[in-house]
Amino acid sequence: MIPKVSILICAYNSGKYIERCLKSVISQTYKNIEIICVDDNSSDNTFKIMKRFQKKDKRISIYKNSTNKGIAFNRNFLISVSHGEYFFFLDSDDWMNKKACQYLLKYTKGKDYDLVVGKARTVFEKFPAFKIKFFPTSSFRKHTTNFEYIKKNILLCWGCFINRFFWNSLKVSFNERGAKKFEDLGLMPFIFFKAKRFLTIHKIIYFYFRRKNSASKLEGNNFEQVNDILAQINYLLNVFKQNKLLENKKNREIVASSLYAPMGFILFFNIPEGKESKMIYAKTKMEFLYLIVKKYGIEDLNLVNLKINNSVWKRMLSLFFRITYRKQFKRIKQLELSN
């Protein structure tokens, strides 16, 4: 029996992009799919476009929230109403390779994987001819393990085929409280950590559209976004702790590797103008590292051996990041001694 794939789409004011997204889904060469969309109380024509596509394709189901619920709520909801053996998150401004689901079936060969990850390509709104392949899958090898993947890539929910039985066995959900964004950071490292039956597909299956004002983009000196990251990391580390995964050094090193992306978001955040803003920014960075070191005891966080890939500029970025981290970590130790 061929497996069903659930393609899950959250949308909010995506009228400019949702048509391209849905066209890529209904054009899938693999036909045993269900397409489930939720409109998070958009004020534009997003829902109207969804309805138009639903009339063309009966595999499409549509829900609309009466109030704006946020991305974490919508992701949890879509999982709960879907039925496929695998589910796949597709953001409403992105699109899929028309053979994405076909590749899933071909490369899994009937095996029951926990998590299957394909390559992604970033397409820029202002420079559509310029396409890059390193985000979020910067390092991709055959026969890689889930732990190797964690060490070298950004861990996001889109671009992944997730086994429903595996997901349900973990009894987890995206964090709906305390943060409006970055729900991936609050859960996906744990999902990757637990995925023992792990497969990478060496085909581009996902197109990530990089645009201004995207919900996933960290911009300017918006401290609310940084606080969202802090809330998600607190949620994530609590999940690891509840599952007793912070009790030995090897596990803590893997968990530390999964924090590379959120640490980068904060440590490379644009330095704001003004004395007061700079103080708030510095305090936020300190709170983040204090959260990791003191509350959850990941004192052996080791970034020295953490590599992104072999490109020169990424090695430089990694080196700068490690230097920045060491300075902040030293500052934490000095604060402890002064108390």
Side-chain angles (χ1 to χ4, degrees):
M1 184 176 178
I2 60 174
K4 175 177 283 189
V5 178
S6 301
I7 299 174
L8 311 180
I9 303 171
C10 307
Y12 176 69
N13 286 347
S14 301
K16 289 175 62 177
Y17 313 103
I18 190 67
E19 184 167 343
R20 178 181 60 191
C21 173
L22 290 172
K23 280 182 177 180
S24 76
V25 179
I26 64 174
S27 300
Q28 287 295 301
T29 54
Y30 182 70
K31 302 302 181 183
N32 191 22
I33 63 174
E34 63 174 0
I35 306 156
I36 308 180
C37 310
V38 59
D39 175 19
D40 199 17
N41 195 37
S42 297
S43 58
D44 66 359
N45 62 341
T46 299
F47 187 70
K48 184 178 179 180
I49 295 172
M50 286 180 174
K51 293 290 288 183
R52 174 159 56 84
F53 273 83
Q54 186 183 39
K55 292 178 180 179
K56 296 179 181 179
D57 196 319
K58 299 303 180 184
R59 296 174 298 176
I60 299 177
S61 300
I62 301 175
Y63 297 87
K64 183 176 176 64
N65 296 330
S66 56
T67 59
N68 187 267
K69 300 287 189 179
I71 187 68
F73 173 90
N74 290 323
R75 294 210 193 280
N76 290 331
F77 171 76
L78 287 170
I79 293 171
S80 71
V81 297
S82 61
H83 304 93
E85 284 87 341
Y86 287 92
F87 58 85
F88 181 92
F89 285 112
L90 175 62
D91 288 352
S92 57
D93 51 354
D94 301 334
W95 64 98
M96 300 173 70
N97 184 325
K98 67 179 182 179
K99 293 185 177 181
C101 295
Q102 179 182 327
Y103 290 143
L104 167 70
L105 191 64
K106 176 182 177 181
Y107 288 97
T108 56
K109 297 178 181 177
K111 294 182 179 179
D112 200 22
Y113 286 96
D114 296 331
L115 186 63
V116 183
V117 181
K119 288 186 175 181
R121 170 173 284 173
T122 300
V123 181
F124 293 86
E125 182 176 28
K126 288 189 176 181
F127 309 101
F130 178 62
K131 301 178 177 66
I132 55 176
K133 298 179 183 179
F134 68 79
F135 180 81
T137 50
S138 60
S139 179
F140 229 73
R141 293 194 301 110
K142 286 185 177 181
H143 311 300
T144 189
T145 67
N146 60 326
F147 287 172
E148 289 172 341
Y149 188 89
I150 287 171
K151 291 179 180 180
K152 298 182 179 180
N153 294 280
I154 299 174
L155 309 177
L156 304 173
C157 64
W158 49 260
C160 304
F161 291 99
I162 304 172
N163 184 299
R164 178 179 304 280
F165 180 82
F166 161 67
W167 178 277
N168 290 340
S169 71
L170 299 178
K171 299 180 180 178
V172 292
S173 60
F174 289 101
N175 176 28
E176 298 179 20
R177 295 183 178 182
K180 297 178 180 179
K181 293 184 177 182
F182 307 107
E183 75 291 343
D184 303 88
L185 303 181
L187 186 60
M188 291 310 295
F190 176 73
I191 303 301
F192 276 86
F193 188 100
K194 297 292 288 184
K196 303 306 179 186
R197 296 169 298 176
F198 180 76
L199 177 68
T200 54
I201 297 178
H202 291 254
K203 297 285 187 179
I204 294 174
I205 65 169
Y206 196 99
F207 293 89
Y208 169 66
F209 188 56
R210 186 70 171 171
R211 63 183 176 88
K212 190 176 181 180
N213 299 322
S214 170
S216 62
K217 187 177 181 182
L218 193 67
E219 296 190 54
N221 58 352
N222 186 342
F223 293 112
E224 182 180 348
Q225 295 181 81
V226 178
N227 288 326
D228 282 352
I229 294 176
L230 287 173
Q232 295 292 4
I233 295 307
N234 184 45
Y235 181 83
L236 172 68
L237 292 177
N238 190 49
V239 170
F240 277 116
K241 184 177 181 179
Q242 288 178 345
N243 285 270
K244 300 181 179 180
L245 295 174
L246 298 178
E247 296 178 358
N248 68 71
K249 184 176 181 179
K250 182 179 178 181
N251 283 351
R252 287 197 300 273
E253 288 178 349
I254 301 300
V255 173
S257 297
S258 74
L259 299 177
Y260 196 97
M263 287 184 74
F265 276 139
I266 289 180
L267 296 181
F268 293 135
F269 196 60
N270 291 339
I271 298 176
E273 297 294 331
K275 183 177 180 180
E276 184 178 355
S277 293
K278 287 181 179 179
M279 289 179 64
I280 296 173
Y281 172 61
K283 179 175 179 291
T284 302
K285 290 196 294 185
M286 295 298 293
E287 285 178 354
F288 177 70
L289 293 171
Y290 191 84
L291 172 72
I292 295 171
V293 174
K294 294 296 292 181
K295 184 173 182 179
Y296 293 102
I298 310 180
E299 296 188 31
D300 47 7
L301 180 60
N302 181 12
L303 295 175
V304 175
N305 297 319
L306 189 60
K307 298 177 182 178
I308 306 178
N309 65 16
N310 292 324
S311 66
V312 175
W313 77 270
K314 285 188 179 179
R315 282 180 177 273
M316 294 175 61
L317 187 68
S318 182
L319 175 63
F320 176 71
F321 177 76
R322 292 197 295 270
I323 293 171
T324 306
Y325 166 76
R326 283 175 172 173
K327 287 182 179 179
Q328 305 248 17
F329 188 80
K330 183 178 180 180
R331 175 62 177 155
I332 286 178
K333 291 296 183 183
Q334 290 173 346
L335 287 175
E336 289 177 9
L337 292 173
S338 64
N339 290 336

